Amino acid sequence: MERLPGPAAPQVALLDAAAHPEEEGFPGALCPREEGEEEEEEEDRRRSPRPITFTLGNEILGLGPESEFQSPDAEVYMHFMRSHCCYDAVPTSCKLVVFDISLEIKKAFVALVANGVRAAPLWDSKTQSFVGECRQRCLAPSPAWQRGVRAALSAPRVSAGMLTITDFINILHRYYRSPLVQIYEVEEHKIETWREVYLQGSFKPLVYISPSNSLFDAVYSLIKHKIHRLPVIEPVSGNVLHILTHKRILKFLHIFGSTIPKPRFLKKTVQELCVGTFRDVAVVSETAPVYAALEIFVDRRVSALPVINDAGQVVGLYSRFDVIHLAAQKTYNNLDISVREALRQRTTCLEGVLTCYPHETMEDIIDRIAKEQVHRLVLVDENQYPRGIVSLSDILQALVLTPAGIDALNS
């Protein structure tokens, strides 16, 4: 893969164009890795004052789940991830989109939808480098690095060296006034303009990883930083090889993990293991305006909202990816429409809402998520009332990090 050319380069670069990464195979050879150093977003556990969310009780939870992950056989996935590097999970053929920061915001978001991707690294033609790229090893969990992480997480959330759906949500949330007022910031701003306005001069390094780092390191970084996408950057050339996701890593584990013994905790129920979010679960009413959903996305930092009817039952799921389709449909100037109407207007069949029950085993839940290629399951009771969310971050934390004594979700 060649490094992108200078100022004459096209504003949208498509590298190694092929099918979607999730649909491609893994490299045939797995590169073993020496055990390295032990040491970001599905569901944030913070409370929100928004009236459109509510608190769920913990009556379905079991007690003392951590002991289930401390037995010797529970460490099998941890060791598996430590013994394989990020390059092992890079597909043999994949699609990678890179945006020049001089590209107009509107065109960039339309390009994300057109190419079926949810994020793109940003390239600065003036500096001939990826935005936010640094030459130090940003992922080593030293005490100084962890202090920097805590400082970064307390700052306003922004996609440092990537353009993501979160940026589009933040733009709409910041500038939307009414259906009668056009959002000129979407129509006229360039990527670099938006970054200058939102970052206000503060530097946030791009969180990335080397292809030789372990998948354990990748899981830790994704969950610790509460991000969904982790660029794999070749350290010598600086080229982006792939964008690692929770879904990609779980698929790798699901395919090749079948060759290793299964830990006993997989036969335990999600209720017994307490894997997931069971309190302060953010939901949205199907009659609420889309703008209210955007407020929850921004305030709660969640990636999807169970949609409930007047009786409080789950009838759908409104995710961040649904929001990006407003750009393709050019309907982002009217965010007063209901969530129900927005879901009805979807032109693309998305993941929809998949549920699970407290009595289902961890193994069944993992199999369903891997098979359906979704990011989360909504935990419901027999009457379809929401009782929690089981996300990919929750699962990878339980399978990989908890046996190592690391709680990246809540740290």
Side-chain angles (χ1 to χ4, degrees):
M1 185 185 301
E2 297 296 328
R3 195 164 175 89
L4 294 177
Q11 291 178 312
V12 181
L14 193 62
L15 308 181
D16 290 345
H20 296 289
E22 282 75 10
E23 299 172 353
E24 293 300 317
F26 295 87
L30 300 179
C31 65
R33 164 183 157 80
E34 292 184 3
E35 202 165 293
E37 298 162 307
E38 297 182 6
E39 331 262 281
E40 227 153 275
E41 144 191 329
E42 274 304 338
E43 314 299 335
D44 194 12
R45 273 71 175 160
R46 300 186 310 157
R47 290 183 178 269
S48 170
R50 297 288 172 184
I52 208 162
T53 65
F54 63 84
T55 300
L56 297 172
N58 66 338
E59 66 275 7
I60 66 171
L61 300 184
L63 298 175
E66 288 189 4
S67 60
E68 299 291 344
F69 301 103
Q70 302 305 320
S71 59
D73 74 311
E75 299 178 352
V76 61
Y77 293 135
M78 175 191 73
H79 293 308
F80 180 83
M81 289 298 194
R82 280 178 168 165
S83 65
H84 294 94
C85 61
C86 293
Y87 189 79
D88 295 338
V90 175
T92 53
S93 180
C94 64
K95 178 184 291 185
L96 179 63
V97 177
V98 177
F99 293 143
D100 191 286
I101 58 174
S102 62
L103 181 66
E104 295 174 4
I105 282 281
K106 180 180 178 180
K107 293 181 179 178
F109 290 124
V110 171
L112 286 180
V113 177
N115 287 284
V117 296
R118 306 188 182 201
L122 299 177
W123 175 261
D124 189 340
S125 296
K126 297 176 182 177
T127 62
Q128 289 290 289
S129 64
F130 287 101
V131 174
E133 184 180 3
C134 59
R135 287 304 175 186
Q136 60 186 358
R137 186 174 181 266
C138 299
L139 299 175
S142 64
W145 176 81
Q146 293 189 46
R147 287 193 295 271
V149 167
R150 286 193 291 270
L153 290 177
S154 63
R157 187 171 173 222
V158 68
S159 308
M162 305 265 289
L163 187 75
T164 70
I165 298 172
T166 298
D167 291 297
F168 187 57
I169 292 174
N170 286 334
I171 290 173
L172 296 181
H173 181 258
R174 186 184 184 107
Y175 295 112
Y176 180 74
R177 296 295 176 265
S178 77
L180 302 178
V181 181
Q182 189 175 18
I183 308 178
Y184 291 104
E185 288 78 8
V186 176
E187 304 292 336
E188 300 175 0
H189 273 189
K190 295 181 179 180
I191 295 176
E192 57 186 343
T193 308
W194 162 243
R195 290 177 54 78
E196 290 170 1
V197 169
Y198 201 80
L199 288 175
Q200 296 181 340
S202 62
F203 173 77
K204 289 180 172 58
L206 173 67
V207 179
Y208 65 91
I209 198 165
S210 167
S212 61
N213 282 115
S214 74
L215 286 172
F216 182 92
D217 294 335
V219 170
Y220 179 83
S221 277
L222 283 166
I223 298 177
K224 177 70 177 181
H225 290 283
K226 294 180 168 59
I227 56 177
H228 283 137
R229 282 151 192 90
L230 183 63
V232 180
I233 297 183
E234 206 286 313
V236 177
S237 66
N239 288 328
V240 178
L241 304 181
H242 185 56
I243 307 295
L244 269 182
T245 64
H246 300 78
K247 187 190 295 186
R248 185 69 188 176
I249 293 175
L250 184 65
K251 182 176 181 180
F252 179 87
L253 181 61
H254 195 249
I255 293 175
F256 294 102
S258 60
T259 62
I260 58 179
K262 292 183 179 180
R264 286 172 291 178
F265 67 74
L266 289 182
K267 298 300 181 181
K268 296 282 187 176
T269 67
V270 65
Q271 173 179 336
E272 294 171 318
L273 296 175
C274 299
V275 174
T277 301
F278 305 99
R279 292 186 177 186
D280 293 328
V281 176
V283 300
V284 64
S285 169
E286 62 178 347
T287 58
V290 168
Y291 186 78
L294 299 189
E295 284 191 307
I296 301 175
F297 284 140
V298 173
D299 293 345
R300 294 291 300 271
R301 299 185 179 184
V302 294
S303 59
L305 297 168
V307 180
I308 59 173
N309 58 20
D310 292 338
Q313 297 168 309
V314 176
V315 293
L317 188 75
Y318 193 70
S319 71
R320 288 176 177 268
F321 196 58
D322 288 309
V323 179
I324 195 66
H325 281 268
L326 297 175
Q329 298 165 358
K330 300 180 181 179
T331 57
Y332 49 79
N333 276 311
N334 183 12
L335 301 181
D336 289 350
I337 65 171
S338 68
V339 172
R340 177 171 52 201
E341 182 61 28
L343 292 175
R344 187 179 295 128
Q345 291 178 3
R346 287 193 302 201
T347 57
T348 304
C349 182
L350 301 177
E351 65 180 56
V353 57
L354 290 175
T355 59
C356 62
Y357 297 92
H359 62 265
E360 292 190 85
T361 66
M362 188 72 170
E363 184 174 21
D364 289 340
I365 288 177
I366 293 173
D367 288 343
R368 187 175 310 150
I369 285 184
K371 177 183 177 182
E372 300 293 341
Q373 296 192 37
V374 295
H375 293 86
R376 84 245 351 123
L377 297 179
V378 179
L379 190 73
V380 296
D381 60 20
E382 63 277 6
N383 296 315
Q384 296 301 301
Y385 292 114
R387 289 293 177 258
I389 297 285
V390 181
S391 71
L392 288 174
S393 290
D394 297 319
I395 291 174
L396 289 175
Q397 166 68 49
L399 297 186
V400 181
L401 300 183
T402 300
I406 298 173
D407 184 2
L409 269 178
N410 300 304
S411 60

